[in-house]
Amino acid sequence: MTHGDANLPLAEQEAWVCKETRQSDSSEDENNSKAQNYDMYNIYSRSGKRAILLTCGLIAFICPCTDTVYLPVLPELAAYYDASDALVAVTVSAYLGAVGVGQLFFGTLADRYGRLVVIYAGLIIYEGLTVACIFAPTIQVLIALRTLDGFVVSSSLVAAQSIITDIFPAEELGSAMGVFFFPVLVA
């Protein structure tokens, strides 16, 4: 009903309002039925899901790879920093402990701010901390940087795992998680 229709008799105005109400009710019913038929697991195609799974697996690969690649250098680090082997081994323990604790923290951040935001921010900070580890002047600074490195890199692991659980339904989730964790276990 437009502004110029105010001159219509009252009965015709009421009929027009009733007709508009019926039309809006039927469109709401259509929207509700569309929402009920919506399946969140069918947003991506099968190949799209595979690409996301591969990308998330490679992102998660960074976490254990950073620890494993580092192990052969431990004797040289002990000589470089003039530290005991036990103190140098603390860099590995601190890293792994921080990975475990970091997942608790970054899991809630990923739920609140989004998976990709947490992955991108975590990987950028991780790269900066990894470069800082190269220039650590003492073993104590290296231990602190490796601890922070482990804490931050866990963001990629937990957020990537959350993405996988978001896009795969329950009946496909087990095999998807197997593929996801394969690179992690290989590293």
Side-chain angles (χ1 to χ4, degrees), residues 12 42 50-51 93 96 135 157 160 164 172 174 177 181 185:
E12 288 181 30
N42 290 325
R50 286 184 190 144
S93 302
L96 291 175
F135 300 108
L157 181 65
I164 300 306
E172 297 175 19
M177 281 298 179
F181 278 114
L185 297 174

Side-chain angles (χ1 to χ4, degrees), residues 5 13 20 34 44 51 53 67 70 79 91 99 133 139 161:
D5 293 336
Q13 289 179 13
E20 288 295 315
K34 287 179 185 176
Y44 300 103
L53 180 61
D67 183 50
Y70 176 75
T91 62
V99 168
C133 284
I139 189 68
Q161 185 176 357

Side-chain angles (χ1 to χ4, degrees), residues 27-76:
S27 66
E28 287 177 14
D29 290 341
E30 288 176 17
N31 289 338
N32 288 338
S33 67
K34 287 179 185 176
Q36 290 172 354
N37 292 333
Y38 175 74
D39 184 12
M40 66 181 251
Y41 298 114
N42 290 325
I43 295 173
Y44 300 103
S45 66
R46 192 173 231 12
S47 61
K49 286 182 181 181
R50 286 184 190 144
I52 292 170
L53 180 61
L54 175 66
T55 304
C56 287
L58 292 175
I59 288 172
F61 177 76
I62 294 170
C63 183
C65 186
T66 302
D67 183 50
T68 307
V69 170
Y70 176 75
L71 294 177
V73 183
L74 292 180
E76 285 82 10

Side-chain angles (χ1 to χ4, degrees), residues 65-155:
C65 186
T66 302
D67 183 50
T68 307
V69 170
Y70 176 75
L71 294 177
V73 183
L74 292 180
E76 285 82 10
L77 284 175
Y80 178 79
Y81 288 114
D82 194 26
S84 67
D85 289 340
L87 191 57
V88 173
V90 169
T91 62
V92 176
S93 302
Y95 174 84
L96 291 175
V99 168
V101 172
Q103 290 183 44
L104 299 172
F105 176 74
F106 287 109
T108 56
L109 285 182
D111 289 340
R112 183 174 179 97
Y113 297 109
R115 316 295 193 223
L116 291 179
V117 171
V118 170
I119 287 175
Y120 292 150
L123 289 177
I124 289 169
I125 296 168
Y126 160 77
E127 290 299 322
L129 287 169
T130 303
V131 170
C133 284
I134 295 170
F135 300 108
T138 65
I139 189 68
Q140 291 80 10
V141 173
L142 181 63
I143 291 170
L145 289 172
R146 286 282 294 171
T147 303
L148 290 172
D149 209 14
F151 185 77
V152 171
V153 78
S154 67
S155 66

